[in-house]
Amino acid sequence: MTDVAILGELAYWQQTGIRVGAGLAAVLLVAGTLVYLHLFKLVSFMQSRLGPMEAGPFGSLQLLAEVGKFLQKEDIFPRKADRFVFAAAPFVVLMSTFLLVVVVPGGPDAWFINSELGIYLAMAVSSVSVIGILMAGWGSASKYSLLGGLRATGQLIAYELPLILAVMGVVIQAETMNMQGIVQAQADGEIFGWGGIGNPYILTQFVAFVIFMIAMQAELTQTPFDMPIAESELVTGYMTEYSGMRFLLFFIGEFATAGVFSAIASVLFLGGWWAPIPGLGFDDNVWNLLGPLVLVTKVVVLTFIIFWARFSLPRFREDQLQQLAWKVLIPLALANIVVTALLKIVF
Amino acid sequence: MSDFLRSYLTVGIFGLVGVALVSVFLGLGKILRPNKPTLAKTEAYESGVEPTGDMWSQANIRYYVFALLFVMFDVEAVFIFPWATRLEAYGTFGLIEMAIFIFILLLGLLYAWRKGVLKWA
């Protein structure tokens, strides 16, 4: 019926070609949408202004204009920089985004990989971006960059733990680490015997969801967790010495990762590509077309929360940040695991 | 090749796509952008003041102990994940086992807490 149904009959390299195309779209289109919707428009409305209006209808082509502008900017390497590390950092950051998007399923057959290790792999590769950021901070040979890079490292490893531990509750409930299996478990789930909307884990794992969202905010270094960038203290932190296209690549990476992380969160807690539409079974082929749209809708909702917080809250202090992670989120996440496991055994 | 290994090949290919995308962007920029480096431009940015001292200055990394704690908890997560998928099969026995495991780890965190490691020293 759809092209995806035929996908199984193609050779591996043909399938992979299609998947790579879809992956590029999933990363770049979603990142572009988020920049336009949230960074250009949402923040403008929150500050009682219109935002970009000139390029295209309601300024929707502003983003392309920006890319065109950045393409023409001179590429400056600081004289004392560690040239290789400095140049390699954007590659590492963007590569980690693409390694991450691989686990997100878009429909019953529309997946990039259908690995049993799904979410485990995602949690593993999400740490790769830390290396990229540390490389950027170190390679720039600038005091601001070095401080930003160090702060980012401390923050990212501290919030990696609540992120991983929050996922554990979902894994206990779904009994699988396979992303597709997690979606299915939510679709087949029942709330006290009523299966009308399945059982999205945001209901049963609300604590984990809140922890995950906070940790995600910190992993993405969005305000109130933006100490690594902290423009009032560190100029732009680890990105200070980057100019032109290289700077834009960090920027793209930031928003693309926001999209991918939200996609992972919506798979874990909101039922992923599945939505309770009457008359549609879990395996219907229609989901291969409808699924990505449903997923993107959920991503937009989740990123809305991220950017809402970003534009509303002031920055944490560095020690408060570490204390929140170690004294509040990690014990809470551990308690959540034990309680979830207990309830799982009892019921 | 088995499906299992194939999916990792896909992961590898996606990583390469990320690298290729950056290369394409930078390559495209190379055609369009000017290149006139001057001494002032290649100076490290220090808010307009002439940069002083070594750029890799020593910073007080107050949270190196956090890095040690991180390793502990990260390894713990590796152990909890497989248990979490098989909880139903292990039943009450598995639950008690894991409760003891998590309790011991919590003790470690509490010890660090009591020792004042988590405070901004």
Side-chain angles (χ1 to χ4, degrees):
Chain A
M1 183 181 151
T2 62
D3 59 331
V4 188
I6 313 165
L7 201 62
E9 293 154 21
L10 295 174
Y12 173 72
W13 66 270
Q14 288 167 319
Q15 290 186 32
T16 309
I18 294 173
R19 293 211 169 97
V20 165
L24 279 171
V27 169
L28 292 180
L29 287 183
V30 170
T33 310
L34 296 184
V35 172
Y36 173 69
L37 266 184
H38 296 324
L39 190 73
F40 287 171
K41 285 302 178 184
L42 174 73
V43 65
S44 302
F45 294 150
M46 283 175 73
Q47 296 169 350
S48 300
R49 55 189 175 90
L50 283 174
M53 291 295 282
E54 293 296 327
F58 299 100
S60 53
L61 300 179
Q62 181 68 31
L63 196 63
L64 293 178
E66 299 277 353
V67 173
K69 183 183 79 181
F70 273 105
L71 277 173
Q72 302 168 50
K73 296 260 183 195
E74 189 176 349
D75 190 28
I76 300 169
F77 274 66
R79 194 163 56 237
K80 289 186 177 153
D82 188 334
R83 288 184 74 91
F84 175 74
V85 177
F86 183 80
F91 287 90
V92 177
V93 170
L94 225 67
M95 189 180 82
S96 83
T97 311
F98 275 90
L99 289 178
L100 209 55
V101 79
V102 150
V103 298
V104 180
D109 303 304
W111 35 263
F112 299 120
I113 59 163
N114 194 7
S115 169
E116 282 306 315
L117 289 176
I119 187 63
Y120 194 64
L121 178 72
M123 291 298 114
V125 296
S126 70
S127 345
V128 173
S129 68
V130 184
I131 301 170
I133 288 174
L134 193 59
M135 281 166 75
W138 178 259
S140 300
S142 159
K143 286 161 193 159
Y144 291 126
S145 301
L146 184 61
L147 281 177
L150 290 176
R151 279 189 188 187
T153 313
Q155 172 174 335
L156 293 192
I157 65 169
Y159 281 86
E160 189 95 19
L161 291 172
L163 198 73
I164 295 173
L165 295 175
V167 169
M168 220 76 81
V170 172
V171 175
I172 290 173
Q173 276 211 296
E175 294 181 344
T176 177
M177 294 189 277
N178 187 329
M179 296 291 262
Q180 204 70 278
I182 292 173
V183 174
Q184 179 147 28
Q186 292 178 76
D188 295 344
E190 290 175 337
I191 305 165
F192 297 119
W194 177 67
I197 57 163
N199 180 18
Y201 288 151
I202 186 173
L203 299 176
T204 48
Q205 288 289 324
F206 188 72
V207 178
F209 176 72
V210 172
I211 296 172
F212 192 90
M213 286 303 281
I214 295 174
M216 193 163 98
Q217 190 97 7
E219 286 284 308
L220 298 168
T221 61
Q222 302 285 6
T223 327
F225 301 102
D226 71 330
M227 284 70 97
I229 302 184
E231 70 278 358
S232 50
E233 305 164 20
L234 295 179
V235 193
T236 37
Y238 55 88
M239 298 187 286
T240 305
E241 295 296 334
Y242 285 88
S243 59
M245 205 57 219
R246 286 179 208 276
F247 178 78
L248 187 69
L249 285 167
F250 274 110
F251 196 78
I252 293 173
E254 182 186 330
F255 279 84
T257 315
V260 174
F261 258 115
S262 305
I264 291 174
S266 49
V267 168
L268 293 176
F269 297 102
L270 301 179
W273 50 262
W274 187 83
I277 299 173
L280 275 185
F282 180 78
D283 273 327
D284 275 341
N285 218 343
V286 186
W287 279 122
N288 287 323
L289 293 176
L290 213 55
L293 296 177
V294 173
L295 188 65
V296 167
T297 312
K298 290 172 179 173
V299 166
V300 169
V301 172
L302 285 183
T303 44
F304 169 75
I305 299 175
I306 294 175
F307 286 91
W308 186 12
R310 167 177 172 158
F311 294 123
S312 313
L313 298 173
R315 189 181 306 139
F316 270 109
R317 223 167 53 208
E318 186 73 31
D319 60 326
Q320 292 170 332
L321 164 106
Q322 292 287 353
Q323 300 213 344
L324 177 69
W326 291 99
K327 293 188 179 173
V328 180
L329 293 183
I330 289 175
L332 201 61
L334 285 173
N336 182 53
I337 292 173
V338 174
V339 170
T340 308
L342 195 68
L343 290 177
K344 178 91 181 173
I345 294 290
V346 172
F347 294 109
Chain B
M1 208 191 296
S2 69
D3 280 351
F4 181 75
L5 286 178
R6 274 225 165 132
S7 58
Y8 283 101
L9 184 61
T10 314
V11 174
I13 289 171
F14 265 74
L16 290 181
V17 168
V19 172
L21 186 76
V22 177
S23 313
V24 167
F25 269 126
L26 288 176
L28 205 64
K30 196 159 193 141
I31 305 169
L32 293 171
R33 69 187 171 224
N35 185 23
K36 299 188 190 74
T38 62
L39 212 58
K41 269 185 204 168
T42 58
E43 200 81 73
Y45 181 74
E46 233 160 75
S47 306
V49 184
E50 270 185 31
T52 50
D54 188 14
M55 290 308 139
W56 284 290
S57 54
Q58 292 194 332
N60 182 1
I61 308 178
R62 291 162 196 265
Y63 30 74
Y64 81 99
V65 192
F66 290 124
L68 296 178
L69 278 176
F70 169 75
V71 173
M72 180 183 90
F73 275 92
D74 222 25
V75 172
E76 170 207 1
V78 174
F79 285 115
I80 301 184
F81 261 116
W83 165 82
T85 56
R86 300 286 298 151
L87 180 59
E88 206 88 307
Y90 295 144
T92 319
F93 167 72
L95 179 66
I96 295 172
E97 280 283 291
M98 193 44 71
I100 294 171
F101 182 61
I102 290 178
F103 178 70
I104 294 174
L105 279 158
L106 262 180
L107 278 185
L109 185 65
L110 277 178
Y111 178 72
W113 196 331
R114 284 281 295 167
K115 280 281 173 187
V117 173
L118 303 183
K119 264 220 310 275
W120 196 252

